[in-house]
Amino acid sequence: MGFGEIVRSVAEVLTSGRGIVPIAVVAGATIAAPVIDRYVIRRRRLIYRVLYNSKIGLNPIPLHDRKNGAAQADPELVRTVRLLEPLSVVVIRIRNTGSFDIGPGDFEHPLQFTFGSRVVWDARVSEARDGLRDVVRDGLEFFTRDTVDPQPVAETAKLSGVRALLPQRLSGFLRQPGPDVDPRAPQWHGVRLGQLSLKRREKFKLVVVLHEADGWQGGPLSKELDVTGRLTGGRIKDERKQRRLSWPVVTVAIGVLLTGALLSTLIVAASRTAATPGCANGTLAVHGSSAFVPIMASVAKEYHALCGDSNITTQASGSVAAVREFGPLATAGKDGLAVLSDGKAAEAGPELVPQAVAVLMYSVVVNSSVGLDRLTTDQVRGIFTGRYRDWAQLRPGPSLPIRIAGRGQESGTRRTFEQKVLGTVEPGLSSDDCLSPGRDPGAAVIRCERGTTAELIQAVGGTLGAIGYADVPAAKIASAQGGKVTVAQLDGHYPDVTSIDAGYRFWTVEYLYTKGVPANDSLLKAFMDYLRSGTARAELQDAGYTPCVTKEGLLDRYCTRPDA
């Protein structure tokens, strides 16, 4: 059998039903093997790395007399270098890279470091949180070279015992008067991390100062360093000696390759049987909420790109007015019209069927000249009742008349604002230009009305001292583009879906109303199904809305709340 025939045979197996199951099993096993090894078999993992193991770093430096050209050595420098020459420093970083915390009871044998013939003079713990530093420092044990295994108490010492000998050793080291070192004093050659406790991802550095053994006559310093210890259900590893290409890496790589082959197989199989999803011919009009019509127009455009024989138009006529289009004088057919409403429509009769589409967040917006970016519900109510008529009553600064830009009675946004924030109806119309009460000079407030969300935002941005309300996506776009509109917090909460549980009240659910249940072969039914698709959900999310239908096909919890 030639190579080409072998490839064709493998391809046939992979694209058949009998090839998918073995690939899935092998891929799952290869990926799961290192995961099981790390999280079940060897759940604890301690990594150490020797960062520095060398002398303190001074060498005799010849000092040249540039005028005479003669080389001279500074006697004091030479003396200092000779004193420091037998000293070396070892820096070891220790990390818990496993999936579980490590405690003293997890060690069969504690982690310990020996330094050959070198003598430990001092040790410190650095780069550790305060509590961890104390735990490690208190657990340090120093032992002699001849008692590396479990030791009698007499042959070990704590850090305080080691440091007690340090003044004597330094005086002799510096050739200064002082008490002589007891010749019977032990020579510590190793450090044991007794009672070591490390939480997951915790780390610290152990710094050890060493002196060459008695009788050292100069020459290269010893760099001998041995590490021992055993961790129950885990490993203690030298970070420098870890292999880049270990068996877990290899098995995961094989698993990823097999998973890619499996996904490719499934995609190829699906492409062979998939039909064009949800396309239908006809004409459909979607009217209603000026806050939500722009994103619905964008979704309809994407649907038309997939289904070219469909014709979907949109119109921002306001939630209340659009619901009334289903009345006795309606001219559109039963499945030729769908209506968008901000919140449940009180005008909807029993023949109208609502479908929750998305969570709609609103915000109070003010002209940037106001100099405020947060208000309370009580302050907003005071503004709309006329209790506050100048911004100087609400913030330090110059006088600036308050001017209200609102929506007409056909607006679902206004209805939500009245229900969720004001607790009553908005004041009457007193102005056409939003600047002065030309319609009603005796009115308690200056209030104008605009027909759509876009027109209201334009009025707020173009009028000094103006305040209004709009859906959050539109308000954010206006704030980012022109900088003349400020999105205000309400009662200390930023207008976001994540603030609902914290008490943010200015929000509702966008509903799509139909007259009865649409026919299965209608464009309305196909478009409603498309609204639940992943493509439409992603477009809603990109525009700043939370879809009511989750990817599992269930209703989002905010879309079922009684206060929506």
Side-chain angles (χ1 to χ4, degrees), residues 87 119-123 142 159 162-163 165-166 169-170 172-173 187-188 208-212:
L87 292 179
V119 180
V120 177
W121 272 28
D122 196 7
F142 300 83
L159 182 59
V162 174
R163 288 183 173 173
L165 296 175
L166 192 56
R169 285 174 170 161
L170 284 175
F173 175 68
Q187 299 285 311
W188 313 116
V208 184
V209 179
L210 302 160
H211 188 279
E212 289 297 318

Side-chain angles (χ1 to χ4, degrees), residues 500-536:
I500 293 177
D501 291 333
Y504 190 79
R505 63 178 70 192
F506 196 12
W507 67 281
T508 190
V509 173
E510 190 69 25
Y511 290 94
L512 183 71
Y513 278 90
T514 62
K515 194 166 187 178
V517 179
N520 288 332
D521 59 349
S522 65
L523 175 59
L524 176 57
K525 174 65 166 59
F527 184 65
M528 290 174 64
D529 290 341
Y530 179 73
L531 284 176
R532 301 186 187 97
S533 69
T535 303

Side-chain angles (χ1 to χ4, degrees), residues 282-531:
T283 300
L284 173 63
V286 180
H287 297 172
S289 166
S290 65
F292 206 75
V293 157
I295 181 60
M296 188 57 68
S298 178
V299 174
K301 182 178 179 181
E302 292 296 325
Y303 180 81
H304 178 74
L306 293 174
C307 306
D309 293 332
S310 63
N311 181 22
I312 303 175
T313 60
T314 57
Q315 180 180 331
S317 56
S319 300
V320 178
V323 171
R324 290 174 181 156
E325 294 184 45
F326 279 125
L329 301 179
T331 57
K334 169 180 172 295
D335 293 340
L337 175 66
V339 168
L340 291 168
S341 174
D342 300 344
K344 287 285 185 70
E347 305 81 5
E351 74 281 2
L352 300 187
V353 178
Q355 172 183 301
V357 179
V359 178
L360 190 57
M361 302 297 300
Y362 298 103
S363 67
V364 175
V365 293
V366 297
N367 184 276
S368 297
S369 64
V370 171
L372 274 177
D373 61 358
R374 58 188 64 200
L375 292 164
T376 66
T377 299
D378 181 71
Q379 289 173 334
V380 174
R381 290 174 178 175
I383 289 172
F384 277 76
T385 60
R387 176 159 41 106
Y388 302 117
R389 305 185 67 175
D390 194 287
W391 287 109
Q393 297 175 266
L394 296 172
R395 51 100 175 110
S399 174
L400 181 63
I402 296 176
R403 301 175 171 105
I404 299 172
R407 296 287 304 280
Q409 294 182 352
E410 78 287 346
S411 166
T413 303
R414 169 178 171 172
R415 179 177 58 196
T416 304
F417 179 68
E418 291 175 340
Q419 293 174 351
K420 298 292 186 72
V421 181
L422 288 186
T424 185
V425 297
E426 286 194 47
L429 179 65
S430 64
S431 175
D432 289 327
D433 60 6
C434 302
L435 291 172
S436 59
R439 279 178 167 264
D440 185 2
V445 298
I446 301 173
R447 181 180 175 275
C448 62
E449 289 184 359
R450 294 296 180 261
T452 66
T453 297
E455 292 172 354
L456 183 143
I457 290 178
Q458 185 178 6
V460 171
T463 307
L464 296 179
I467 182 174
Y469 46 82
D471 64 286
V472 170
K476 284 185 176 180
I477 291 174
S479 177
Q481 290 179 345
K484 295 181 179 180
V485 174
T486 298
V487 178
Q489 295 184 26
L490 187 62
D491 297 324
H493 302 300
Y494 191 77
D496 186 84
V497 69
T498 58
S499 299
I500 293 177
D501 291 333
Y504 190 79
R505 63 178 70 192
F506 196 12
W507 67 281
T508 190
V509 173
E510 190 69 25
Y511 290 94
L512 183 71
Y513 278 90
T514 62
K515 194 166 187 178
V517 179
N520 288 332
D521 59 349
S522 65
L523 175 59
L524 176 57
K525 174 65 166 59
F527 184 65
M528 290 174 64
D529 290 341
Y530 179 73
L531 284 176

